[in-house]
Amino acid sequence: MANQPKGLSESQVYDVLKSVNYPGYTYDIVSSGVVQGMDISGQHVRVVLQLNTNQQDIAAQLKQTTEEAVRAIPGVNTVAAEVRLKDQAQPGSPQNRNPFANMSALPGVRHVVAVASGKGGVGKSTVATNIAVALGMSGLRTGLLDADIYGPSIPLMMGVNEQPQVSHDNRIAPFVNHGIKMQSLGFFLGENAPVIWRGPMVMKAVQQLLKDTDWGELDALIIDLPPGTGDVQLTLVQTVPLTGAILVTTPQDLALLDVKKGAEMFKQVNAPLIGIVENMSFFVCPDCGTSTEVFRRGGGQKESERLGIPLLGRIPLDPVVCDTGDLGAPLVLSHPDTPAAEEFKAIAATVTELLSRGTGPAPIKIIN
């Protein structure tokens, strides 16, 4: 490290390596633990990769893509990627273990349902909040976890602005409002405090919010994921068994393109897909009652047919949905007779019916 040129750091190399995906998968080689270490000497960078396979073609492809990515960093002259096959792993090393080996069910929680989206701005948190509250209204003991570490919004949407309490045995008591137990990193931060964390810290925070919260007995835990297919999503599927995931999109092609990526991620980690919710599907004029499809028609339906999963519902574009979120009064409670609220309740009823098909984790197997 003493001969390292100014401006070249391990963190910079790690950031670049997060753009390198494991061949055939959507997760990167840093988050998945393939990168075992590195050494920087002058303008030379050595990266050690540990595989959980003996396939030579994967090793060769990873060596090439890793060296190309690091070589593009300003100040780097030469790169050597040392790729170790499964049989070359050191006994007991993290890279020689199944990344899902530490997965375990949350005590007392029957079902874990992730609400995800491929891109931001599609109303994922609004959908997660209203589904959770609707499930609670139907009689299910329901929890809501805000796993959007960089942009937690559940405290605002659920109308809670307090500091959490930690017991003597380091268990975090969830807040309860509108009949729902909830947890969020937002409760631990100031209102305007940014989260400037790298991947390992984000992954640790997700694990702590999941495992250290005293959820008690729950029929369903709804998890509001951040947009995309990054550290949080991978940490979740490696930490707890998912009953399934709900994908949220808007009708236009740009949002649907990212839904395909999200669906592929859950498929590759063997997490079942429950269905798709199409948000902001259409606008109903309050004066004449005319329905206008602001973005386009049928995108969610086409994608659900392509994936072989249900279209759970189409949520209309309604200013009241936004207003109730800002006020901490979820639509299904504060305006239960509106078309959007009725659709949320119908979606929750469908989810309840799907969950009732099995009693343990992951009873739904829609995508093979």
Side-chain angles (χ1 to χ4, degrees):
M1 298 293 289
N3 297 323
Q4 183 176 317
K6 186 176 180 180
L8 183 60
S9 65
E10 286 190 5
S11 63
Q12 186 179 4
V13 178
Y14 273 112
D15 283 344
V16 169
L17 290 177
K18 290 183 70 173
S19 67
V20 178
N21 285 347
Y22 194 90
Y25 291 85
T26 58
Y27 57 75
D28 66 87
I29 61 175
V30 175
S31 301
S32 57
V34 173
V35 178
Q36 182 173 354
M38 72 175 64
D39 178 61
I40 301 176
S41 178
Q43 294 180 309
H44 176 75
V45 178
R46 173 177 170 267
V47 181
V48 179
L49 308 177
Q50 178 63 61
L51 303 187
N52 196 31
T53 178
N54 290 315
Q55 292 182 260
Q56 295 284 351
D57 56 336
I58 291 180
Q61 185 176 343
L62 268 182
K63 178 178 175 63
Q64 178 181 347
T65 54
T66 298
E67 290 180 348
E68 288 175 352
V70 176
R71 194 176 292 116
I73 300 174
V76 173
N77 186 17
T78 58
V79 183
E82 178 185 337
V83 183
R84 298 173 181 173
L85 300 177
K86 179 180 180 180
D87 290 343
Q88 298 172 304
Q90 297 297 318
S93 67
Q95 289 71 28
N96 199 27
R97 295 198 299 264
N98 184 339
F100 298 91
N102 294 324
M103 178 191 291
S104 62
L106 296 174
V109 179
R110 294 186 62 200
H111 299 286
V112 178
V113 176
V115 179
S117 66
K119 68 187 299 294
V122 299
K124 168 186 52 60
S125 296
T126 297
V127 171
T129 299
N130 280 280
I131 287 178
V133 175
L135 289 174
M137 292 170 64
S138 71
L140 269 64
R141 297 166 297 179
T142 306
L144 177 61
L145 173 63
D146 187 352
D148 194 344
I149 300 298
Y150 293 112
S153 55
I154 296 303
L156 174 65
M157 290 186 168
M158 291 293 285
V160 178
N161 184 21
E162 300 179 36
Q163 290 291 315
Q165 300 296 317
V166 181
S167 65
H168 66 280
D169 58 350
N170 292 324
R171 299 287 289 169
I172 309 169
F175 289 105
V176 181
N177 199 23
H178 308 310
I180 305 300
K181 293 181 179 180
M182 72 195 82
Q183 188 58 272
S184 171
L185 184 66
F187 294 134
F188 296 84
L189 304 173
E191 184 175 351
N192 298 314
V195 178
I196 311 174
W197 292 352
R198 294 193 185 278
M201 294 182 66
V202 172
M203 292 185 284
K204 183 64 175 177
V206 173
Q207 291 170 337
Q208 288 184 312
L209 291 174
L210 271 170
K211 296 287 191 176
D212 293 349
T213 297
D214 188 6
W215 294 108
E217 297 291 325
L218 292 179
D219 295 309
L221 175 63
I222 306 299
I223 300 182
D224 179 25
L225 290 173
T229 56
D231 293 328
V232 173
Q233 288 81 355
L234 184 60
T235 300
L236 174 65
V237 298
Q238 290 179 346
T239 303
V240 294
L242 286 184
T243 299
I246 297 172
L247 300 177
V248 182
T249 185
T250 50
Q252 69 267 42
D253 288 342
L254 180 61
L256 291 168
L257 177 64
D258 291 320
V259 161
K260 296 174 184 178
K261 297 175 183 177
E264 185 64 21
M265 181 206 69
F266 283 112
K267 179 180 177 181
Q268 290 186 10
V269 297
N270 294 319
L273 296 179
I274 293 176
I276 290 177
V277 173
E278 186 182 85
N279 196 24
M280 309 182 212
S281 294
F282 53 91
F283 173 75
V284 178
C285 176
D287 296 323
C288 66
T290 301
S291 178
T292 303
E293 285 156 335
V294 179
F295 299 107
R296 67 170 51 214
R297 178 181 177 83
Q301 181 66 49
K302 291 177 182 177
E303 188 59 21
S304 70
E305 292 172 357
R306 187 189 73 85
L307 293 171
I309 59 177
L311 177 65
L312 299 174
R314 300 175 71 228
I315 310 299
L317 185 62
D318 187 342
V320 177
V321 177
C322 177
D323 293 340
T324 56
D326 291 344
L327 294 172
L331 185 79
V332 292
L333 272 176
S334 58
H335 295 74
D337 297 327
T338 58
E342 293 290 354
E343 192 72 359
F344 278 128
K345 288 185 284 186
I347 293 169
T350 301
V351 172
T352 300
E353 194 274 328
L354 289 171
L355 296 183
S356 69
R357 295 181 182 176
T359 56
I364 307 166
K365 191 65 175 178
I366 297 175
I367 285 189
N368 295 316

